[in-house]
């Protein structure tokens, strides 16, 4: 059975490290007790086997966002460093929050976008007089979904890229995981772009350098798991085929998904803001967006 997952690391785990094709490499680094797993896909064969476009996929594992543990400033700084590595050093950045704000498991992108420090309009004498002369130009938008606007999110973003002229786009979205253990406690970053909805079999307009003409960095947290995956794991592979087929039409999300989205949006927004404005402290950023 082909289990759905947006997490590149899970795809490599399901294949097994010894069976990975040429052009797929794994590595891991540790920063302040935070482990960052890296999957590099550099060949067409790697694309085919892993099912992901060529690029770099970073997976950061943190305490569950819905638990009592709060992300520390060190964790946010570590995430910001990883985001900064994937971005051009200079130039304006467009941050887009993908998803439907009215559906809680899908609201991560819009909720994060609400907390992004938009600075593109702060320039010249205004920037100098407020002591914010070193700000990198940032624009932020949550374009909604096709069912709300009648327009593909990708079409809106492509038009904005033409008019705003960013050096890069950061796309934030909720993801689907294969493993229950990664639900709400994993962050994936990638420089390969993103196909919204692909993990829940609702693939939309691809956001990538090929479609937008600029670098695209995707950031996401898995908020749902394929019900068929969960059923197969819990049934140790012994569930009847009819039950598995029914489960394939369903996605499962934690009971604490409201808290997961709220805390994940806060952590992602602080990390993105700090990556884009490294001269500002996490505390200063929290004050400016509050």
């Amino acid at each position: 059975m082909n289990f759905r997952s947006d997490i590149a690391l899970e795809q490599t785990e399901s294949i097994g490290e010894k069976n990975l094709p040429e052009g797929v490499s794994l590595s891991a680094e540790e920063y302040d007790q935070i482990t960052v797993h890296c999957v590099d896909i550099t060949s067409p064969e790697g694309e085919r086997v892993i099912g992901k476009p060529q690029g770099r996929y970073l997976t950061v594992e943190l305490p569950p966002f819905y638990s009592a543990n709060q992300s520390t400033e060190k964790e946010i700084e570590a995430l910001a460093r990883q985001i900064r590595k994937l971005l051009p050093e200079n130039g304006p950045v467009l941050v887009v929050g993908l998803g439907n704000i009215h559906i809680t498991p899908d609201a991560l992108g819009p909720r994060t976008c609400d907390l992004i420090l938009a600075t593109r309009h702060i320039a010249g004498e205004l920037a100098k007089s407020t002591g914010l002369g070193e700000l990198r130009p940032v624009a932020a938008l949550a374009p909604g979904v096709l069912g709300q606007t009648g327009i593909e999110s990708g079409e809106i973003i492509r038009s904005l890229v033409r008019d705003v002229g960013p050096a890069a786009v950061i796309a934030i979205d909720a993801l689907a995981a294969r493993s229950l253990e990664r639900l709400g406690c994993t962050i994936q970053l990638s420089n390969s772009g993103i196909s919204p909805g692909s993990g829940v079999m609702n693939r939309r307009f691809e956001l990538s350098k090929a479609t937008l003409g600029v670098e695209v960095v995707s950031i996401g947290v898995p908020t749902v798991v394929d019900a068929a995956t969960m059923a197969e794991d819990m049934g140790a592979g012994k569930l009847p085929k009819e039950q598995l087929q029914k489960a394939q039409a369903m996605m499962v999300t934690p009971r604490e998904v409201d808290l997961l989205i709220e805390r994940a949006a806060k952590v992602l927004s602080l990390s993105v803001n700090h990556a884009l404005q490294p001269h500002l402290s996490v505390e200063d950023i929290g004050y400016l967006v509050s």
Side-chain angles (χ1 to χ4, degrees):
M1 180 176 289
N2 183 25
F3 294 111
R4 303 190 290 255
S5 175
D6 288 318
I7 310 298
L9 184 62
E10 288 190 325
Q11 300 291 77
T12 64
E13 290 172 342
S14 65
I15 296 169
E17 187 170 353
K18 294 182 179 179
N19 299 320
L20 292 177
E22 186 176 349
V24 178
S25 61
L26 302 178
S27 60
E29 296 180 351
E30 192 164 307
Y31 304 88
D32 296 322
Q33 298 181 334
I34 298 171
T35 302
V36 179
H37 299 276
C38 179
V39 178
D40 281 307
I41 303 175
T42 57
S43 70
E45 177 65 8
E47 279 189 331
R48 185 189 67 79
V49 174
I50 303 299
K52 303 290 180 189
Q54 293 184 48
R56 170 161 288 191
Y57 298 82
L58 304 175
T59 304
V60 183
E61 295 175 354
L62 299 174
F65 290 114
Y66 48 81
S67 72
N69 297 317
Q70 295 291 319
S71 293
T72 65
E73 189 167 321
K74 283 187 176 181
E75 290 172 341
I76 291 167
E77 289 177 348
L79 282 170
R81 283 198 300 271
Q82 299 305 315
I83 296 169
R84 204 175 298 126
K85 288 178 181 179
L86 300 176
L87 289 170
E89 289 187 14
N90 301 298
V93 173
L94 172 63
V95 181
V96 294
L98 303 172
N100 189 338
I101 197 168
H102 302 298
I103 300 176
T104 305
D106 196 35
L108 178 65
R111 291 287 297 275
T112 303
C113 199
D114 283 345
L115 299 172
I116 294 299
L117 180 61
T119 60
R120 182 171 174 264
H121 59 295
I122 305 175
E125 291 301 319
L126 174 60
K128 292 178 182 178
S129 64
T130 55
L132 299 175
E134 298 180 7
L135 291 177
R136 184 173 188 172
V138 176
L141 177 75
V145 294
L146 181 63
Q148 296 170 318
T149 64
I151 309 170
E152 285 276 9
S153 300
E155 293 174 327
I156 297 173
I157 295 163
R158 184 170 56 186
S159 299
L160 277 173
V161 168
R162 283 199 297 260
D163 291 341
V164 174
V169 171
I170 296 177
I172 301 168
D173 199 8
L175 305 178
R178 183 198 188 285
S179 169
L180 287 169
E181 285 72 26
R182 286 212 168 86
L183 198 60
C185 61
T186 299
I187 299 174
Q188 177 173 270
L189 305 95
S190 174
N191 62 358
S192 67
I194 188 171
S195 295
S198 59
V200 292
M201 305 300 286
N202 186 33
R203 182 182 294 269
R204 313 307 304 172
F205 185 104
E206 178 185 284
L207 304 178
S208 66
K209 189 171 184 178
T211 60
L212 300 182
V214 298
E215 298 293 338
V216 177
V217 174
S218 64
I219 305 174
V221 173
T223 62
V224 295
V225 170
D226 189 339
T229 300
M230 186 177 69
E232 184 76 351
D233 288 347
M234 295 178 67
K238 298 179 181 179
L239 289 181
K241 185 177 180 180
E242 290 184 2
Q243 292 185 15
L244 283 177
Q245 288 176 337
K246 290 180 180 179
Q248 281 186 304
M250 303 178 188
M251 303 301 292
V252 178
T253 195
R255 182 170 51 189
E256 306 90 345
V257 67
D258 300 76
L259 189 57
L260 187 166
I261 294 296
E262 178 185 350
R263 290 181 174 172
K266 182 177 180 181
V267 169
L268 292 189
S269 64
L270 286 171
S271 302
V272 170
N273 286 329
H274 193 39
L276 296 174
Q277 315 295 350
H279 60 285
L280 295 178
S281 68
V282 173
E283 184 179 359
D284 287 341
I285 290 169
Y287 172 76
L288 289 170
V289 298
S290 61

